[in-house]
Amino acid sequence: MSGLVLLSLIPTVLLGFSALLSAAELQRFEHAAKADGSLSLLVVGDWGRRGAYNQTEVALQMGITGEKLDIDFIISTGDNFYEGGLNGVEDPAFYESFTRIYTAPSLQKQWYNVLGNHDYRGDVEAQLSPVLREMDSKWLCLRSFIVNTEIAEFFFVDTTPFVNKYFLEPEDHVYDWSGILPRKSYLSNLMEDLDMALKESVAKWKIVVGHHTIKSAGQHGNTVELNLQLLPILQANNVDLYINGHDHCLEHISSSESPLQFLTSGGGSKAWRGDVTWWDPKEMKFYYDGQGFMSVQITQNEVDVVFYDVSGEVLHKWSRTKRISSAVL
């Protein structure tokens, strides 16, 4: 992964004054764009089922599309291993649901993964462990982190700890909250770090990635806690795209409140047919209750999003342009 560089973020103290660096708690990765400054990537979510529920077929089409687009990396929106995450770094599910499935040459690029609620039902530290990166170098999973490509900056957010029901009404599920408690401090620090990083970003495009929905017409619907706590931060900092999984569908919702677009790519394996609620057609640009994935292509003045089904057929396209600043000093 020659395009990937990890920068250590270390707080600096000058003459007794603490100088706050960008995203002091968020690791930052530099991933080079193409020589012409453009960037191409794929997004898939809710996939890890040892090839079942068409996971293998989706992976095949991802490989074909990835080669056509000459992708730079892949984003996973979480729920990487069903039903309960990994039980340790030696869990065979890592090979059976990831390494063995995504074998196409075009998919041997860096994978940037966030955790989903199902991942928190297993050994979270296993997915975060460098041992997995030694087993398969394309794997990289952290709770929250930043990927900077200069042309675009990606902010990966750990959304599961925001959701109250996992703490208050876990039913028969056991969640691994190691590293999260005390929860209030964890979330406060995360939101502060994210807000600071977004404010300091000079990227032309700002993209936030999380597992849970903010706006969705799917089975889970809107995530109330993210609408109250995360959405205001995104809107205040002119974020362009919020990309998520969680609902097992493909979906594009616009916002009447800001230019922010909500993109769901949660069709990596098992989908929920017919599970959709009514949404204002002025905001609902696209909804598909089947399996598939998404591509994003970015240049200095344009972003192009395409959704594909399990056969690789194009289902929906969306583009946005921005002016290139003429102010060159």
Side-chain angles (χ1 to χ4, degrees):
M1 311 302 170
S2 58
L4 175 66
V5 178
L6 168 63
L7 298 183
S8 296
L9 299 177
I10 305 174
T12 303
V13 179
L14 298 175
L15 301 178
F17 175 76
S18 178
L20 298 178
L21 299 187
S22 171
E25 298 298 326
L26 302 182
Q27 285 184 297
R28 180 183 297 272
F29 298 85
E30 301 289 335
H31 196 122
K34 294 180 176 64
D36 64 1
S38 67
L39 191 72
S40 301
L41 58 123
L42 299 182
V43 184
V44 66
D46 304 84
W47 42 265
R49 296 182 185 273
R50 293 178 166 86
Y53 297 98
N54 285 335
Q55 183 192 0
T56 301
E57 286 72 15
V58 172
L60 174 63
Q61 294 303 326
M62 287 175 62
I64 294 171
T65 301
E67 183 175 357
K68 290 179 180 177
L69 300 182
D70 187 21
I71 59 170
D72 298 286
F73 56 84
I74 300 97
I75 288 174
S76 168
T77 57
D79 276 2
N80 306 317
F81 301 99
Y82 285 96
E83 288 286 332
L86 296 179
N87 60 30
V89 294
E90 297 181 354
D91 190 331
F94 180 71
Y95 173 79
E96 295 169 358
S97 289
F98 181 64
T99 302
R100 184 178 67 86
I101 302 298
Y102 302 102
T103 57
S106 68
L107 302 183
Q108 307 313 301
K109 304 291 179 71
Q110 189 67 55
W111 282 62
Y112 295 109
N113 305 272
V114 291
L115 297 166
N117 52 296
H118 281 268
D119 299 310
Y120 265 97
R121 296 175 188 173
D123 181 353
V124 170
E125 291 299 326
Q127 291 199 46
L128 307 180
S129 172
V131 172
L132 294 191
R133 295 200 291 275
E134 294 172 2
M135 295 168 60
D136 191 329
S137 62
K138 65 179 179 286
W139 177 265
L140 193 150
C141 183
L142 297 171
R143 296 184 193 273
S144 299
F145 58 103
I146 299 169
V147 175
N148 178 40
T149 68
E150 291 192 4
I151 187 174
E153 202 159 12
F154 297 80
F155 304 83
F156 294 77
V157 179
D158 184 19
T159 59
T160 300
F162 282 88
V163 182
N164 291 329
K165 71 177 182 180
Y166 302 142
F167 294 86
L168 303 178
E169 302 172 11
E171 300 176 340
D172 58 344
H173 303 302
V174 177
Y175 292 90
D176 177 7
W177 298 127
S178 58
I180 298 300
L181 304 177
R183 179 188 176 208
K184 184 176 181 180
S185 297
Y186 178 82
L187 294 177
S188 176
N189 290 335
L190 173 54
M191 288 187 288
E192 182 179 345
D193 295 336
L194 175 64
D195 186 45
M196 180 67 71
L198 287 168
K199 281 181 167 55
E200 294 185 350
S201 175
V202 295
K204 188 66 175 288
W205 303 96
K206 299 179 185 179
I207 300 171
V208 174
V209 179
H211 176 64
H212 289 78
T213 61
I214 290 182
K215 294 183 182 296
S216 176
Q219 183 185 70
H220 292 114
N222 297 352
T223 304
V224 174
E225 296 88 347
L226 296 188
N227 275 269
L228 292 174
Q229 299 177 74
L230 185 60
L231 181 57
I233 295 174
L234 307 192
Q235 292 173 331
N237 289 287
N238 300 312
V239 169
D240 297 286
L241 308 176
Y242 177 72
I243 298 175
N244 61 273
H246 197 45
D247 270 340
H248 295 190
C249 63
L250 304 175
E251 181 178 26
H252 173 200
I253 295 178
S254 65
S255 172
S256 58
E257 303 166 347
S258 74
L260 178 60
Q261 305 293 308
F262 302 92
L263 306 173
T264 297
S265 183
S269 59
K270 187 177 182 180
W272 298 324
R273 287 288 186 184
D275 204 342
V276 56
T277 56
W278 183 89
W279 198 280
D280 185 346
K282 293 180 180 179
E283 293 188 347
M284 176 59 73
K285 304 302 181 185
F286 165 72
Y287 187 94
Y288 177 65
D289 58 352
Q291 294 126 340
F293 59 99
M294 183 177 83
S295 70
V296 183
Q297 294 179 278
I298 305 173
T299 65
Q300 278 289 342
N301 65 336
E302 186 171 357
V303 60
D304 296 293
V305 173
V306 180
F307 288 90
Y308 309 82
D309 69 9
V310 67
S311 300
E313 296 296 321
V314 172
L315 300 174
H316 174 68
K317 294 182 178 181
W318 174 84
S319 298
R320 167 168 291 166
T321 59
K322 285 186 180 182
R323 293 180 181 180
I324 298 178
S325 175
S326 60
V328 179
L329 299 179

